[in-house]
Amino acid sequence: DEINEFYRSVYNYKKRARAKIFCMRKRSDFERMTRKLLDRSMPSRGVGGYWVDGLKTVVAYDRSYDEEGFTRDAIWQTLFHEASHQFMSLLTKGRHHPPCWLNEGTSSFFEGSRILKSGEVLWPEAAIRRLRTLSHFLSKGGGPGVEKVLEFAAPGSYPGEYYCYGWGLMYFMQEYEDPKTLEKVYRPLYQEYRRRITTADRQLLP
């Protein structure tokens, strides 16, 4: 409920916005639920959850149970990510899909959110796994680069190596501070662009 209220505030969404959430313990349970809901398998082990727009449903699993390098926090990161997709979908009302860098980038940005035992939801800090991957690509090479991420126009999500770039773009727009005024100067521009994209009657160019 607290996360739902947080997103209603972030997205300025006034209506009731409930979704079904399935949190599975193991990867095998996650794959079984995927076959049941979507009548297909989940091909990538890099996927920890997903949003099913037509069913208003989130499916996720605890990657710490059978995948190395993950803690229990990973499932919360997944839920924050998929909840952002839910509200982006609600705003577009199924008219079109927002640009992938905006949709996935915003969802990745919110992976840095936390919910306290009191129920308070904290504004995102840096999503460390995204930051590490982006830092590696920028210093060592091998990533797709910002241009390919911005140009990606196929339906659905983009490839896994694109996510850190989308996260980086959103983190910059949300958190960059003017050195003199300390104002987050790009945040209002991001909000206006998101508003235009989600209220348009058709897909707009990035």
Side-chain angles (χ1 to χ4, degrees):
D1 288 342
E2 290 87 350
I3 293 176
N4 186 276
E5 186 64 29
F6 171 75
Y7 275 106
R8 288 177 63 192
S9 175
V10 166
Y11 281 94
N12 193 28
Y13 192 83
K14 306 299 184 184
K15 299 178 182 179
R16 182 179 173 87
R18 297 297 184 190
K20 291 181 181 178
I21 302 175
F22 294 95
C23 292
M24 322 307 289
R25 184 181 186 189
K26 297 184 291 185
R27 174 79 189 189
S28 57
D29 298 329
F30 175 70
E31 292 177 340
R32 192 176 301 112
M33 178 61 73
T34 299
R35 288 191 293 271
K36 179 179 178 180
L37 290 178
L38 305 180
D39 195 28
R40 62 180 174 83
S41 61
M42 181 57 63
S44 173
R45 290 195 65 82
V47 175
Y50 54 88
W51 161 251
V52 186
D53 192 17
L55 300 176
K56 293 182 172 55
T57 297
V58 171
V59 183
Y61 79 102
D62 181 5
R63 302 177 76 177
S64 69
Y65 183 79
D66 56 9
E67 289 190 43
E68 292 185 8
F70 288 93
T71 66
R72 182 63 60 84
D73 289 340
I75 197 166
W76 287 106
Q77 294 165 3
T78 298
L79 292 175
F80 274 110
H81 181 111
E82 302 307 334
S84 179
H85 283 318
Q86 174 191 356
F87 280 84
M88 194 77 80
S89 174
L90 287 169
L91 290 178
T92 59
K93 298 178 181 178
R95 292 184 296 260
H96 57 78
H97 296 287
C100 208
W101 67 266
L102 177 70
N103 195 8
E104 293 294 355
T106 300
S107 292
S108 297
F109 172 75
F110 282 110
E111 291 173 14
S113 298
R114 288 191 300 136
I115 182 168
L116 305 181
K117 290 183 178 179
S118 64
E120 180 184 3
V121 178
L122 302 183
W123 185 254
E125 298 177 351
I128 299 302
R129 293 182 69 87
R130 302 298 186 196
L131 174 60
R132 287 175 177 166
T133 306
L134 181 60
S135 177
H136 175 81
F137 282 153
L138 294 178
S139 61
K140 306 294 185 181
V146 175
E147 293 83 1
K148 284 187 177 180
V149 174
L150 291 174
E151 291 171 355
F152 188 88
S157 301
Y158 43 33
E161 64 271 21
Y162 284 44
Y163 278 77
C164 63
Y165 286 90
W167 169 82
L169 286 166
M170 290 303 110
Y171 192 82
F172 176 80
M173 283 190 265
Q174 295 283 5
E175 299 302 318
Y176 174 83
E177 294 180 348
D178 182 279
K180 294 182 179 179
T181 66
L182 301 184
E183 290 184 64
K184 291 182 166 51
V185 291
Y186 293 110
R187 192 177 287 182
L189 299 176
Y190 161 81
Q191 291 172 342
E192 174 60 16
Y193 180 72
R194 191 190 69 198
R195 184 194 67 78
R196 291 188 182 186
I197 286 290
T198 55
T199 57
D201 291 330
R202 59 185 175 80
Q203 177 79 53
L204 299 179
L205 294 175

